[in-house]
PDB file of all heavy atoms in Angstrom:
ATOM      1  N   ARG A  78     -28.007  13.483 -19.747  1.00 97.00           N
ATOM      2  CA  ARG A  78     -26.959  12.819 -20.537  1.00 97.00           C
ATOM      3  C   ARG A  78     -27.307  12.915 -22.003  1.00 97.00           C
ATOM      4  O   ARG A  78     -28.457  12.680 -22.393  1.00 97.00           O
ATOM      5  CB  ARG A  78     -26.896  11.390 -20.091  1.00 97.00           C
ATOM      6  CG  ARG A  78     -25.958  10.498 -20.846  1.00 97.00           C
ATOM      7  CD  ARG A  78     -25.905   9.130 -20.246  1.00 97.00           C
ATOM      8  NE  ARG A  78     -25.152   9.114 -18.969  1.00 97.00           N
ATOM      9  CZ  ARG A  78     -24.681   8.004 -18.418  1.00 97.00           C
ATOM     10  NH1 ARG A  78     -24.869   6.846 -18.984  1.00 97.00           N
ATOM     11  NH2 ARG A  78     -24.005   8.060 -17.275  1.00 97.00           N
ATOM     12  N   ASP A 152     -24.105  15.832 -17.332  1.00 94.00           N
ATOM     13  CA  ASP A 152     -23.667  14.444 -17.215  1.00 94.00           C
ATOM     14  C   ASP A 152     -22.908  14.159 -18.515  1.00 94.00           C
ATOM     15  O   ASP A 152     -22.482  15.095 -19.202  1.00 94.00           O
ATOM     16  CB  ASP A 152     -24.890  13.508 -17.053  1.00 94.00           C
ATOM     17  CG  ASP A 152     -24.462  12.112 -16.618  1.00 94.00           C
ATOM     18  OD1 ASP A 152     -24.109  11.960 -15.455  1.00 94.00           O
ATOM     19  OD2 ASP A 152     -24.487  11.175 -17.443  1.00 94.00           O
ATOM     20  N   MET A 153     -22.744  12.894 -18.865  1.00 92.00           N
ATOM     21  CA  MET A 153     -21.991  12.535 -20.082  1.00 92.00           C
ATOM     22  C   MET A 153     -22.520  13.304 -21.282  1.00 92.00           C
ATOM     23  O   MET A 153     -23.728  13.275 -21.527  1.00 92.00           O
ATOM     24  CB  MET A 153     -22.159  11.065 -20.331  1.00 92.00           C
ATOM     25  CG  MET A 153     -20.882  10.298 -20.182  1.00 92.00           C
ATOM     26  SD  MET A 153     -21.294   8.561 -20.176  1.00 92.00           S
ATOM     27  CE  MET A 153     -21.477   8.229 -21.906  1.00 92.00           C
ATOM     28  N   GLY A 154     -21.629  13.941 -22.013  1.00 95.00           N
ATOM     29  CA  GLY A 154     -22.034  14.607 -23.241  1.00 95.00           C
ATOM     30  C   GLY A 154     -22.632  15.973 -23.046  1.00 95.00           C
ATOM     31  O   GLY A 154     -22.964  16.659 -24.024  1.00 95.00           O
ATOM     32  N   ARG A 194     -17.630  24.147  -9.774  1.00 93.00           N
ATOM     33  CA  ARG A 194     -18.590  23.110 -10.158  1.00 93.00           C
ATOM     34  C   ARG A 194     -18.025  22.179 -11.230  1.00 93.00           C
ATOM     35  O   ARG A 194     -18.249  20.977 -11.218  1.00 93.00           O
ATOM     36  CB  ARG A 194     -19.920  23.739 -10.646  1.00 93.00           C
ATOM     37  CG  ARG A 194     -20.945  22.734 -11.222  1.00 93.00           C
ATOM     38  CD  ARG A 194     -21.315  21.673 -10.206  1.00 93.00           C
ATOM     39  NE  ARG A 194     -22.219  20.618 -10.720  1.00 93.00           N
ATOM     40  CZ  ARG A 194     -21.832  19.494 -11.257  1.00 93.00           C
ATOM     41  NH1 ARG A 194     -20.523  19.213 -11.428  1.00 93.00           N
ATOM     42  NH2 ARG A 194     -22.696  18.584 -11.646  1.00 93.00           N
ATOM     43  N   THR A 198     -16.813  16.860  -9.481  1.00 96.00           N
ATOM     44  CA  THR A 198     -16.910  15.398  -9.362  1.00 96.00           C
ATOM     45  C   THR A 198     -15.531  14.775  -9.264  1.00 96.00           C
ATOM     46  O   THR A 198     -15.285  13.891  -8.412  1.00 96.00           O
ATOM     47  CB  THR A 198     -17.740  14.843 -10.533  1.00 96.00           C
ATOM     48  OG1 THR A 198     -18.953  15.574 -10.628  1.00 96.00           O
ATOM     49  CG2 THR A 198     -18.083  13.368 -10.306  1.00 96.00           C
ATOM     50  N   GLN A 233     -10.045   5.308 -16.672  1.00 98.00           N
ATOM     51  CA  GLN A 233     -10.768   5.090 -17.909  1.00 98.00           C
ATOM     52  C   GLN A 233     -11.698   6.293 -18.150  1.00 98.00           C
ATOM     53  O   GLN A 233     -12.545   6.592 -17.341  1.00 98.00           O
ATOM     54  CB  GLN A 233     -11.622   3.821 -17.862  1.00 98.00           C
ATOM     55  CG  GLN A 233     -12.315   3.555 -19.195  1.00 98.00           C
ATOM     56  CD  GLN A 233     -13.387   2.489 -19.099  1.00 98.00           C
ATOM     57  OE1 GLN A 233     -14.112   2.429 -18.118  1.00 98.00           O
ATOM     58  NE2 GLN A 233     -13.508   1.672 -20.114  1.00 98.00           N
ATOM     59  N   GLY A 234     -11.502   6.984 -19.304  1.00 98.00           N
ATOM     60  CA  GLY A 234     -12.335   8.125 -19.616  1.00 98.00           C
ATOM     61  C   GLY A 234     -11.690   9.418 -19.132  1.00 98.00           C
ATOM     62  O   GLY A 234     -11.690   9.692 -17.956  1.00 98.00           O
ATOM     63  N   LEU A 235     -11.083  10.198 -20.078  1.00 98.00           N
ATOM     64  CA  LEU A 235     -10.467  11.442 -19.654  1.00 98.00           C
ATOM     65  C   LEU A 235     -11.423  12.606 -20.002  1.00 98.00           C
ATOM     66  O   LEU A 235     -11.049  13.580 -20.626  1.00 98.00           O
ATOM     67  CB  LEU A 235      -9.090  11.640 -20.318  1.00 98.00           C
ATOM     68  CG  LEU A 235      -8.106  12.500 -19.509  1.00 98.00           C
ATOM     69  CD1 LEU A 235      -7.733  11.850 -18.215  1.00 98.00           C
ATOM     70  CD2 LEU A 235      -6.852  12.818 -20.326  1.00 98.00           C
ATOM     71  N   GLY A 236     -12.673  12.458 -19.598  1.00 95.00           N
ATOM     72  CA  GLY A 236     -13.660  13.552 -19.767  1.00 95.00           C
ATOM     73  C   GLY A 236     -13.673  14.402 -18.521  1.00 95.00           C
ATOM     74  O   GLY A 236     -12.675  14.480 -17.812  1.00 95.00           O
ATOM     75  N   ASN A 237     -14.800  15.013 -18.257  1.00 94.00           N
ATOM     76  CA  ASN A 237     -14.830  15.944 -17.099  1.00 94.00           C
ATOM     77  C   ASN A 237     -14.348  15.262 -15.842  1.00 94.00           C
ATOM     78  O   ASN A 237     -13.432  15.723 -15.185  1.00 94.00           O
ATOM     79  CB  ASN A 237     -16.269  16.463 -16.977  1.00 94.00           C
ATOM     80  CG  ASN A 237     -16.426  17.356 -15.751  1.00 94.00           C
ATOM     81  OD1 ASN A 237     -15.824  17.130 -14.716  1.00 94.00           O
ATOM     82  ND2 ASN A 237     -17.237  18.388 -15.872  1.00 94.00           N
ATOM     83  N   VAL A 238     -14.974  14.148 -15.488  1.00 96.00           N
ATOM     84  CA  VAL A 238     -14.666  13.524 -14.187  1.00 96.00           C
ATOM     85  C   VAL A 238     -13.277  12.900 -14.166  1.00 96.00           C
ATOM     86  O   VAL A 238     -12.470  13.173 -13.242  1.00 96.00           O
ATOM     87  CB  VAL A 238     -15.736  12.437 -13.873  1.00 96.00           C
ATOM     88  CG1 VAL A 238     -15.448  11.785 -12.535  1.00 96.00           C
ATOM     89  CG2 VAL A 238     -17.140  13.012 -13.894  1.00 96.00           C
ATOM     90  N   GLU A 259      -9.152   5.479 -23.307  1.00 98.00           N
ATOM     91  CA  GLU A 259     -10.188   6.306 -23.992  1.00 98.00           C
ATOM     92  C   GLU A 259     -10.935   5.458 -24.990  1.00 98.00           C
ATOM     93  O   GLU A 259     -10.639   4.278 -25.171  1.00 98.00           O
ATOM     94  CB  GLU A 259      -9.542   7.544 -24.638  1.00 98.00           C
ATOM     95  CG  GLU A 259      -9.745   8.836 -23.820  1.00 98.00           C
ATOM     96  CD  GLU A 259     -11.226   9.280 -23.723  1.00 98.00           C
ATOM     97  OE1 GLU A 259     -11.991   8.991 -24.676  1.00 98.00           O
ATOM     98  OE2 GLU A 259     -11.617   9.867 -22.695  1.00 98.00           O
ATOM     99  N   ARG A 260     -11.900   6.081 -25.696  1.00 95.00           N
ATOM    100  CA  ARG A 260     -12.761   5.268 -26.581  1.00 95.00           C
ATOM    101  C   ARG A 260     -11.981   4.677 -27.768  1.00 95.00           C
ATOM    102  O   ARG A 260     -12.369   3.679 -28.324  1.00 95.00           O
ATOM    103  CB  ARG A 260     -13.979   6.050 -27.022  1.00 95.00           C
ATOM    104  CG  ARG A 260     -13.656   7.326 -27.768  1.00 95.00           C
ATOM    105  CD  ARG A 260     -14.915   7.983 -28.298  1.00 95.00           C
ATOM    106  NE  ARG A 260     -15.467   8.925 -27.348  1.00 95.00           N
ATOM    107  CZ  ARG A 260     -16.763   9.008 -27.049  1.00 95.00           C
ATOM    108  NH1 ARG A 260     -17.605   8.196 -27.583  1.00 95.00           N
ATOM    109  NH2 ARG A 260     -17.173   9.940 -26.187  1.00 95.00           N
ATOM    110  N   ALA A 311     -14.025   6.012 -15.176  1.00 98.00           N
ATOM    111  CA  ALA A 311     -14.708   7.333 -15.162  1.00 98.00           C
ATOM    112  C   ALA A 311     -15.358   7.587 -16.496  1.00 98.00           C
ATOM    113  O   ALA A 311     -15.423   8.753 -16.958  1.00 98.00           O
ATOM    114  CB  ALA A 311     -13.687   8.428 -14.819  1.00 98.00           C
ATOM    115  N   ALA A 312     -15.836   6.549 -17.184  1.00 96.00           N
ATOM    116  CA  ALA A 312     -16.432   6.767 -18.500  1.00 96.00           C
ATOM    117  C   ALA A 312     -17.911   6.391 -18.499  1.00 96.00           C
ATOM    118  O   ALA A 312     -18.781   7.252 -18.532  1.00 96.00           O
ATOM    119  CB  ALA A 312     -15.658   5.981 -19.556  1.00 96.00           C
ATOM    120  N   ALA A 333     -15.784   6.239 -10.338  1.00 98.00           N
ATOM    121  CA  ALA A 333     -16.061   7.651 -10.638  1.00 98.00           C
ATOM    122  C   ALA A 333     -17.244   7.748 -11.583  1.00 98.00           C
ATOM    123  O   ALA A 333     -18.044   8.694 -11.490  1.00 98.00           O
ATOM    124  CB  ALA A 333     -14.817   8.282 -11.237  1.00 98.00           C
ATOM    125  N   ALA A 334     -17.392   6.789 -12.484  1.00 96.00           N
ATOM    126  CA  ALA A 334     -18.595   6.757 -13.348  1.00 96.00           C
ATOM    127  C   ALA A 334     -19.733   6.180 -12.581  1.00 96.00           C
ATOM    128  O   ALA A 334     -19.571   5.633 -11.499  1.00 96.00           O
ATOM    129  CB  ALA A 334     -18.289   5.911 -14.584  1.00 96.00           C
ATOM    130  N   ASN A 335     -20.947   6.290 -13.135  1.00 92.00           N
ATOM    131  CA  ASN A 335     -22.088   5.624 -12.541  1.00 92.00           C
ATOM    132  C   ASN A 335     -22.187   4.219 -13.091  1.00 92.00           C
ATOM    133  O   ASN A 335     -22.172   4.008 -14.311  1.00 92.00           O
ATOM    134  CB  ASN A 335     -23.367   6.397 -12.905  1.00 92.00           C
ATOM    135  CG  ASN A 335     -23.549   7.654 -12.040  1.00 92.00           C
ATOM    136  OD1 ASN A 335     -23.484   7.564 -10.835  1.00 92.00           O
ATOM    137  ND2 ASN A 335     -23.707   8.793 -12.674  1.00 92.00           N
ATOM    138  N   ASN A 360     -18.784   9.490  -6.772  1.00 97.00           N
ATOM    139  CA  ASN A 360     -18.979  10.615  -7.703  1.00 97.00           C
ATOM    140  C   ASN A 360     -20.004  11.621  -7.226  1.00 97.00           C
ATOM    141  O   ASN A 360     -20.550  12.374  -7.980  1.00 97.00           O
ATOM    142  CB  ASN A 360     -19.270  10.099  -9.113  1.00 97.00           C
ATOM    143  CG  ASN A 360     -20.586   9.380  -9.223  1.00 97.00           C
ATOM    144  OD1 ASN A 360     -21.553   9.729  -8.560  1.00 97.00           O
ATOM    145  ND2 ASN A 360     -20.655   8.352 -10.037  1.00 97.00           N
TER     146      ASN A 360
HETATM  147  P1  NAD B 501     -17.732  13.160 -20.302  1.00 93.21           P
HETATM  148  O1  NAD B 501     -18.578  13.026 -21.502  1.00 93.21           O
HETATM  149  O2  NAD B 501     -17.141  14.482 -19.987  1.00 93.21           O
HETATM  150  O3  NAD B 501     -16.507  12.123 -20.376  1.00 93.21           O
HETATM  151  C1  NAD B 501     -16.634  10.789 -20.661  1.00 93.21           C
HETATM  152  C2  NAD B 501     -15.280  10.332 -21.206  1.00 93.21           C
HETATM  153  O4  NAD B 501     -15.298   8.911 -21.414  1.00 93.21           O
HETATM  154  C3  NAD B 501     -14.972  10.955 -22.557  1.00 93.21           C
HETATM  155  O5  NAD B 501     -13.628  11.423 -22.559  1.00 93.21           O
HETATM  156  C4  NAD B 501     -15.154   9.793 -23.549  1.00 93.21           C
HETATM  157  O6  NAD B 501     -14.380   9.923 -24.703  1.00 93.21           O
HETATM  158  C5  NAD B 501     -14.786   8.624 -22.695  1.00 93.21           C
HETATM  159  N1  NAD B 501     -15.346   7.374 -23.174  1.00 93.21           N
HETATM  160  C6  NAD B 501     -16.539   7.168 -23.765  1.00 93.21           C
HETATM  161  N2  NAD B 501     -16.681   5.869 -24.087  1.00 93.21           N
HETATM  162  C7  NAD B 501     -15.557   5.268 -23.681  1.00 93.21           C
HETATM  163  C8  NAD B 501     -15.088   3.907 -23.765  1.00 93.21           C
HETATM  164  N3  NAD B 501     -15.847   2.964 -24.309  1.00 93.21           N
HETATM  165  N4  NAD B 501     -13.872   3.640 -23.253  1.00 93.21           N
HETATM  166  C9  NAD B 501     -13.115   4.589 -22.714  1.00 93.21           C
HETATM  167  N5  NAD B 501     -13.487   5.898 -22.632  1.00 93.21           N
HETATM  168  C10 NAD B 501     -14.699   6.195 -23.101  1.00 93.21           C
HETATM  169  O7  NAD B 501     -18.609  12.604 -19.105  1.00 93.21           O
HETATM  170  P2  NAD B 501     -18.414  12.841 -17.560  1.00 93.21           P
HETATM  171  O8  NAD B 501     -19.311  13.976 -17.178  1.00 93.21           O
HETATM  172  O9  NAD B 501     -16.991  12.880 -17.203  1.00 93.21           O
HETATM  173  O10 NAD B 501     -19.126  11.552 -16.964  1.00 93.21           O
HETATM  174  C11 NAD B 501     -18.408  10.303 -16.887  1.00 93.21           C
HETATM  175  C12 NAD B 501     -19.152   9.396 -15.889  1.00 93.21           C
HETATM  176  O11 NAD B 501     -19.238  10.049 -14.633  1.00 93.21           O
HETATM  177  C13 NAD B 501     -20.581   9.029 -16.283  1.00 93.21           C
HETATM  178  O12 NAD B 501     -20.873   7.735 -15.804  1.00 93.21           O
HETATM  179  C14 NAD B 501     -21.411  10.051 -15.493  1.00 93.21           C
HETATM  180  O13 NAD B 501     -22.730   9.555 -15.248  1.00 93.21           O
HETATM  181  C15 NAD B 501     -20.612  10.124 -14.222  1.00 93.21           C
HETATM  182  N6  NAD B 501     -20.821  11.351 -13.440  1.00 93.21           N
HETATM  183  C16 NAD B 501     -20.580  12.573 -13.962  1.00 93.21           C
HETATM  184  C17 NAD B 501     -20.772  13.732 -13.185  1.00 93.21           C
HETATM  185  C18 NAD B 501     -20.479  15.108 -13.680  1.00 93.21           C
HETATM  186  O14 NAD B 501     -20.511  16.031 -12.844  1.00 93.21           O
HETATM  187  N7  NAD B 501     -20.093  15.321 -14.924  1.00 93.21           N
HETATM  188  C19 NAD B 501     -21.288  13.564 -11.897  1.00 93.21           C
HETATM  189  C20 NAD B 501     -21.524  12.282 -11.396  1.00 93.21           C
HETATM  190  C21 NAD B 501     -21.290  11.190 -12.174  1.00 93.21           C
END
Side-chain angles (χ1 to χ4, degrees):
R78 175 176 286 198
D152 194 74
M153 246 167 81
R194 174 60 184 90
T198 310
Q233 184 192 38
L235 208 66
N237 176 323
V238 180
E259 257 295 329
R260 59 175 91 226
N335 282 308
N360 66 36

